[in-house]
Each structure stands twice: as structure tokens, then as C-alpha cells.
Amino acid sequence: MHLAIEQALQERRFFKLICGASYRNTEFVATLAQIFAEAGAQVIDVGARPELVEAARTGIAAAKVPVAGLPLIMVSVGINQDLHFLRVEKDFNRCDDRGLCVNACPHEVFVGGEIRLENCLGCDHCVIACPSKALSLVARDPLGEVQSLLKQCLAAGASALEVHTGDGSLPELKSLLAQLAPLRDQIELLAFSLGAHGQSPAEIAQLAHTIRALAGPDILIQADGKPISGRKGEKSTLPCLELAETLFAQGLDCFVQVSGGTNDLTGPLARRRQSGIHGVGMGSFARKFIDLSPSEPLSEALLQEKIAKARILVESVAMSPLRV
Ligand code: SF4
């Protein structure tokens, strides 16, 4: 494992910015990477596409980073139609142009009659808002051959990998791990995201132990509460902390970082509950917190303002250990 990452995890001060496994807007990925790299994030997590890795690298190169060599760029792959890899699809025969999706979408997908799929995170807010059932979530374009895709991402500058475990199918997981084996020594942080696919906490704990046995102790488990929710308040962040606490109670002995429903209250709540987590990943909420949209022109003054906001969020996790 990368030394500075291991140290941040051991100190329970690890922060990851999640751009979204299915997110494809390269320009905005570069901007987010720059802002959160300068704010002190240790990892920038993007979809597994070389162009997204290059975009993140461009953003990081433009940032004044607090720790040389960080953040790492992480790419995400998934098994079994993992819900992090979905995007919206519109059935024009059902649509009656009421436009409720326009306001429901927090990510500027429905703009002036266009559908900007590169901005879609697959959060499903628009699907819920549409009374005509014209919107649904479908799998993002298939990842293709994982090994060759990862080679391209590693060549482009990625050095961390997250495996989204979907419904936890073991044959698929084993097959993916076999494909990763020849690349393992190039991967400086290997993470597995689990939870939020309808499994019980006991099933998720069992899956975590199986992954730990298959992949070894040198891994990070991401306990996913409510994926892509972006909501504020303690209620939103509680499920991921409870899941992490279950994993620890079941004797899991590797690093655990929470995500899904995480926000500015995750760090303080984790400290109060003595959850024992080693870090926090944030996606939708982080964008909302810095209040920046993909189409907003970014002057130098505005950039500095967004970096200052991002720093508040990163420091809510990294300022002091998540367990005191
Ligand atoms: S609301 Fe979510 S799922 Fe719907 S278009 Fe916007 S980002 Fe995509």
C-alpha cells in the first residue's frame, strides 16, 4: 500500500473525493480534482476510463497539493450491474414534457431540451420525480475487458482501484481478482465497496471476510450506506457508520472507509459514536457543499472560494482522528 495513504488510514484521517463511477464529464472531473487535491484529499476516485484519469491528472497537476505525490487517482470497476454504474435513459413515448426532471436533477443533465449523459451519476432523483415513468436507469456502456481497460488507466496515471461488489457474487468476484492479479504490484491502494444492494448486515460482513481472505489484509473496505444520495444531516450518514460498526463487531481487521450518504457530519458523528472508521469518501454531497455546477465559469477568485469550501469538508474528516 502507498505509504502516505497507509499513514492517513492508520491515523484515521483519510478523505476520498468521489467523482462517480459512471460520471463522464472530463472537464468537470479536472476541476473537481484540482479543487479537492488542493484541499487535501488523499484520493480522487473516477470512472475507469483513461480519459477520466487524464482529466484528474490534469486537475491535480494544476493544484498546490499539501502532500507531494498525493492524491492518488483511483478508478472503479464493478461486477453484476453494480448500481454505481448506471445512467438515465428516457422513453420519449412516455414523456409528456412536464419537465419535473429538470429541477429534480442536481447535476445538469436535462438542459435546454438536451440530455447531457456525461453529467449523469445514476442517482435516480429524476426517476423518482417523473410521474409518467418516462425515465429509468440502465447500465452505463459496458466496461469491456477489465484487464486491458485497467492497463490503460494505469498507463494514464491511475494507481488505485476500487472494486464495486454488486450483489457479492463470488464466482464473478474471483474471476475479477484473477484478472487483477498480474497488475496487483502496480496498484498502490486496492479497495472493495460493499453494501447497499439489499444484503443484510450479516451477509455484508460475511462478504467482507471473504474478500479479506481472498485479497489479503492490505486492502480498504468501503462500507456503502446510501449510494449517491448527496443528502445532508446525520440521518443520511448513519447507515454507512452502522454498517462499518457491524463489520468491526464481526471482527473485520482491515481498513474501513465509509461512503454513501456521507456529508459534513460524518466525521463528527463517527467520533461521537467511536465508530472506529479509518476514513470517509464523499461524492454528491461534496459537489453540493462547494456549490459548483459543471457549466459555471471558474474565475481565479471563484476557484479559491471553492477550494476554501472544499477544505472545510476535508478537514471535517482529516483535522483530527476519526476515533479519539
Ligand atoms: S437526477 Fe441523477 S439519474 Fe437523473 S439524470 Fe440527474 S444525475 Fe442522472
Side-chain angles (χ1 to χ4, degrees), residues 240-261:
C240 65
L241 290 176
E242 287 176 335
L243 177 55
E245 289 160 18
T246 301
L247 297 179
F248 290 128
Q250 301 281 326
L252 189 69
D253 62 348
C254 54
F255 294 126
V256 175
Q257 165 243 303
V258 293
S259 183

Side-chain angles (χ1 to χ4, degrees), residues 190-213:
L190 178 59
F192 293 84
S193 169
L194 51 166
H197 283 265
Q199 304 110 310
S200 69
E203 286 170 325
I204 296 168
Q206 178 59 49
L207 177 61
H209 279 286
T210 304
I211 290 170
R212 159 77 174 77

Side-chain angles (χ1 to χ4, degrees), residues 231-233 262-268 282 285 289 312-313 316:
R231 298 207 159 82
K232 52 186 184 178
T262 45
N263 55 37
D264 54 335
L265 300 183
T266 304
M282 280 186 219
F285 183 83
F289 191 82
I312 293 170
L313 204 52
S316 73

Side-chain angles (χ1 to χ4, degrees), residues 5 8-9 13-21 32-33 36-37 39-46 71-77 84 160-164 189-194 220-224 256-260 262-263 278-287 310 313-318 322:
I5 296 288
L9 287 165
R13 297 169 186 262
F14 174 83
F15 184 96
K16 176 175 85 164
L17 185 267
I18 303 168
C19 293
L32 288 171
F36 278 89
Q42 282 102 4
V43 168
I44 307 289
D45 184 349
V46 302
L72 301 188
I73 301 173
M74 171 179 270
V75 294
S76 289
V77 296
H84 293 86
L161 172 69
E162 181 157 271
V163 177
H164 289 260
L189 173 62
L190 178 59
F192 293 84
S193 169
L194 51 166
L220 174 62
I221 294 288
Q222 174 167 285
D224 219 338
V256 175
Q257 165 243 303
V258 293
S259 183
T262 45
N263 55 37
H278 301 89
V280 177
M282 280 186 219
S284 308
F285 183 83
R287 294 170 188 219
L313 204 52
V314 174
E315 287 184 354
S316 73
V317 172
L322 288 162

Side-chain angles (χ1 to χ4, degrees), residues 21-22 24 49 78-89 117 120 122 136-143:
S22 71
R24 298 285 182 268
R49 295 281 162 195
I79 61 167
N80 270 355
Q81 302 289 309
D82 187 290
L83 55 79
H84 293 86
F85 296 83
L86 301 179
R87 64 163 175 81
V88 74
E89 187 171 81
L117 278 182
C120 182
S136 56
L137 294 182
V138 298
R140 178 65 86 174
D141 32 311
L143 283 176

